[in-house]
Amino acid sequence: MKTDFIPFQLGEEYDNFEFYLNEFEDLIICDKYKYIGVDFLSILGQTIKCIYLYFNSDILVRVDVILKAKKAQKFIEISEVLNDKMRREGRLNYLQKKILQMEWFGNKSLLVLQGNLEENSLCIILTKKKYLTI
């Protein structure tokens, strides 16, 4: 799955980012860090609010890019852009009566666009499949 529009790639080592991370949360199967670098300000034409990187045994297994875009219309616009970039339609899910989720599956990874209707927020997630529900 080609995700060159996301500034991080799964499988990268912790050492590549250690000076740009603030420890955020110790999860059972991985460690979550907030990326504090200022080299990535936007993605797909949208301003980035924050980025979280998840590491298991010092290997990057998930990236959450939280966007400042907050309207449901932005979910539709961004999902259309991602459909073009992924060269196929994503699968739409509706979770817990408050989360719209568009998914694009690759061989070993998963790209997800989540729109939380209750919190009025948007997030792009790149992850290995088993780390989606952490």
Side-chain angles (χ1 to χ4, degrees), residues 72-131:
Q73 181 65 26
K74 286 294 180 186
F75 179 89
I76 295 166
E77 290 175 21
I78 295 169
S79 65
E80 289 174 356
V81 169
L82 289 172
N83 280 337
D84 289 342
K85 290 206 171 282
M86 303 312 291
R87 299 177 191 220
R88 64 181 183 271
E89 291 279 325
R91 185 178 77 183
L92 182 62
N93 289 320
Y94 190 56
L95 309 173
Q96 305 167 3
K97 298 182 181 179
K98 64 178 183 175
I99 297 174
L100 284 174
Q101 182 167 294
M102 186 75 80
E103 302 171 336
W104 296 265
F105 290 90
N107 290 335
K108 296 181 181 179
S109 60
L110 173 65
L111 180 68
V112 176
L113 173 63
Q114 281 187 347
N116 188 317
L117 303 174
E118 194 172 88
E119 296 176 7
N120 201 18
S121 63
L122 289 174
C123 179
I124 296 173
I125 301 168
L126 176 63
T127 185
K128 293 186 175 188
K129 295 172 187 174
K130 72 178 187 177
Y131 295 99

Side-chain angles (χ1 to χ4, degrees), residues 1 7 10 12 24 29 31 36 47 54 57 63 80-81 98 114 122-123:
M1 176 183 316
L10 300 181
E12 291 185 90
F24 190 76
I29 60 172
D31 297 317
I36 57 172
T47 304
Y54 299 73
S57 300
V63 178
E80 289 174 356
V81 169
K98 64 178 183 175
Q114 281 187 347
L122 289 174
C123 179

Side-chain angles (χ1 to χ4, degrees), residues 28-42:
I28 293 171
I29 60 172
C30 60
D31 297 317
K32 180 179 179 181
Y33 295 88
K34 185 174 184 179
Y35 183 76
I36 57 172
V38 294
D39 42 347
F40 309 111
L41 302 176
S42 67

Side-chain angles (χ1 to χ4, degrees), residues 5-9 12-25 31-43 48-55 60 62-66 124:
F5 53 91
I6 294 180
F8 308 96
Q9 296 303 313
E12 291 185 90
E13 295 185 13
Y14 173 86
D15 294 347
N16 296 342
F17 308 104
E18 67 182 313
F19 300 113
Y20 302 100
L21 300 174
N22 274 347
E23 190 166 345
F24 190 76
E25 192 173 358
D31 297 317
K32 180 179 179 181
Y33 295 88
K34 185 174 184 179
Y35 183 76
I36 57 172
V38 294
D39 42 347
F40 309 111
L41 302 176
S42 67
I43 185 173
I48 295 172
K49 182 176 180 180
C50 65
I51 298 173
Y52 295 107
L53 302 178
Y54 299 73
F55 293 88
L60 185 62
R62 177 174 165 157
V63 178
D64 290 359
V65 180
I66 313 298
I124 296 173

